[in-house]
Amino acid sequence: MQATSRLRAFAATAALLAASAIAHAQALPNVVILATGGTIAGAGASAINSATYAAAKVGVDKLIAGLPELAKVANVRGEQVFQVASESLTDDNLLTLAKRVSALAKQSDIDGIVITHGTDTLEETAFFLTLTVHTAKPIVVVGSMRPGTALSADGALNLYNAVNVAASKDAMGKGVLVTMNDEIQSGRDVSKSINIKTEAFKSQWGPLGMIVEGKNYWFRAPVKRHTMQSEFDIDTITALPPVEIAMGYEGVLSTAIDALGKSGIKALVHGGTGNGSVANRIVPNLQKVRADGVVVIRSSRVPDGFVLRNAEQPDDKYDWVVAHDLRPQKARILAMVAMTKTSDTKELQRIFWEY
């Protein structure tokens, strides 16, 4: 009789615990991690290999399993979208990823989305998502500068912070975010500034906030158009027009400009020196490229500052566009997206001011 009573009590306790676990899980936000590879999924030969390693080796399920703390933040599940080092991603990969993010964002049972990504082109993907995915739900792109096998690896905390931000209601409506080195950065503004330190991602305008022990602290909000305010929608984009970059430097020749101008591209970003300066000997070559129907966009290779229109070059006279504060690689992303709708230079200039 006593044994039967004990069994009943045990069963009742187990049922209560199960019900409590279910209620706890139901109360947590639902976050999907879309994995694309990169250093955050990398592995080195030993613990001292922080800069020498193979990227894109660890699958998303293993990344999640290695962070049991995530279970206290959100109901997390993962999808392996790609498994590549980010320098090898293509425009088609961008389209595939953005369309998957958009589809998940439309699901009522999804509260936030995290994308694990290699750091080499992380800023480009983050900006592309900023421009094309229509949602107020948090989208967070995250990577690491050291593989998980290294001493003082940064990936685990970066990923924990990313899930924490993606699960937070206070991150809604702030556009696509990047969480690295305890900072919350705007996906539009942030760029990789160094290749061997964990504080690699910076914005000249500063971070939006910080994450400390799982709590978000916000200090500013993005003012450029993004996500819900964007006139571009990934659900209507089927292909991206070809846009290339030609860099400026001392002694530059017109070789790259001439070749790219004949390659069938729709726009050419010139990554000039200083204020988007263009060497006098290649100005006629850029004018010819524009006369042949290719849009010329004047950017700068300088990390900070912005390009002033009709300074250094008479942009109105030449019918060129200036990239504002976007570095060449981000100017290329915006040009591709914008030119899915227009090739009119006045409209393109408006877009570069607003985004």
Side-chain angles (χ1 to χ4, degrees), residues 36 58 67 76 243 248 263 271 294 312 339 350:
T36 68
V58 182
L67 263 178
V76 178
V243 177
S263 67
V294 177
E312 299 291 342
M339 294 188 75
R350 173 191 65 80

Side-chain angles (χ1 to χ4, degrees), residues 51-329:
T52 306
Y53 54 87
K57 293 296 182 183
V58 182
V60 65
D61 291 339
K62 191 171 181 180
L63 285 178
I64 294 171
L67 263 178
E69 294 83 359
L70 292 178
K72 298 177 182 179
V73 177
N75 300 312
V76 178
R77 66 176 176 85
E79 294 182 17
Q80 195 75 47
V81 185
F82 313 117
Q83 185 74 321
V84 296
S86 68
E87 70 272 15
S88 296
L89 289 172
T90 67
D91 294 345
D92 286 341
N93 291 150
L94 276 181
L95 291 171
T96 298
L97 177 62
K99 287 181 183 294
R100 184 59 185 143
V101 172
S102 178
L104 287 169
K106 288 180 172 62
Q107 293 184 205
S108 60
D109 60 339
I110 301 297
D111 299 296
I113 300 163
V114 170
I115 299 103
T116 61
H117 201 288
T119 58
D120 281 355
T121 60
L122 183 151
E123 66 200 75
E124 293 160 70
T125 295
F127 190 35
F128 184 76
L129 296 172
T130 294
L131 296 170
T132 60
V133 178
H134 281 211
T135 185
K137 294 179 181 179
I139 300 171
V140 184
V141 188
V142 64
S144 72
M145 294 303 296
R146 296 171 179 167
T149 52
L151 292 172
S152 299
D154 56 326
L157 183 56
N158 286 348
L159 181 55
Y160 176 82
N161 285 342
V163 171
N164 184 78
V165 172
S168 302
K169 290 183 179 179
D170 59 18
M172 292 187 66
K174 291 184 171 66
V176 176
L177 305 168
V178 173
T179 57
M180 299 278 292
N181 200 45
D182 298 334
E183 293 179 337
I184 308 170
Q185 296 277 0
S186 161
R188 188 255 181 209
D189 296 341
V190 76
S191 289
K192 186 175 181 178
S193 61
I194 192 169
N195 63 344
I196 53 172
K197 291 185 177 181
T198 55
E199 66 270 28
F201 281 77
K202 300 292 183 182
S203 161
Q204 67 170 316
W205 311 121
L208 302 183
M210 291 192 67
I211 313 127
V212 180
E213 296 182 352
K215 181 173 174 57
N216 303 333
Y217 295 86
W218 299 95
F219 299 103
R220 71 180 185 92
V223 298
K224 297 290 187 179
R225 291 177 65 176
H226 61 76
T227 53
M228 293 297 289
Q229 294 80 41
S230 177
E231 64 201 85
F232 312 106
D233 188 345
I234 190 59
D235 295 339
T236 66
I237 298 174
T238 57
L240 294 170
V243 177
E244 291 293 339
I245 299 170
M247 297 299 292
Y249 48 89
E250 186 176 290
V252 66
L253 300 176
S254 66
T255 310
I257 292 169
D258 295 342
L260 290 171
K262 298 172 183 175
S263 67
I265 61 173
K266 299 300 181 184
L268 178 63
V269 178
H270 180 261
T273 53
N275 186 18
S277 304
V278 182
N280 55 10
R281 59 186 167 276
I282 64 171
V283 168
N285 303 83
L286 286 173
Q287 287 178 296
K288 184 180 185 306
V289 166
R290 180 66 195 114
D292 290 340
V294 177
V295 172
V296 173
I297 301 165
R298 198 163 59 82
S299 181
S300 175
R301 71 183 197 181
V302 178
D304 293 339
F306 54 91
V307 176
L308 296 170
R309 187 168 177 83
N310 295 317
E312 299 291 342
Q313 294 295 327
D315 298 298
D316 289 345
K317 178 181 177 181
Y318 296 159
D319 197 28
W320 293 353
V321 175
V322 299
H324 196 27
D325 64 332
L326 297 177
R327 301 286 75 79
Q329 64 272 24

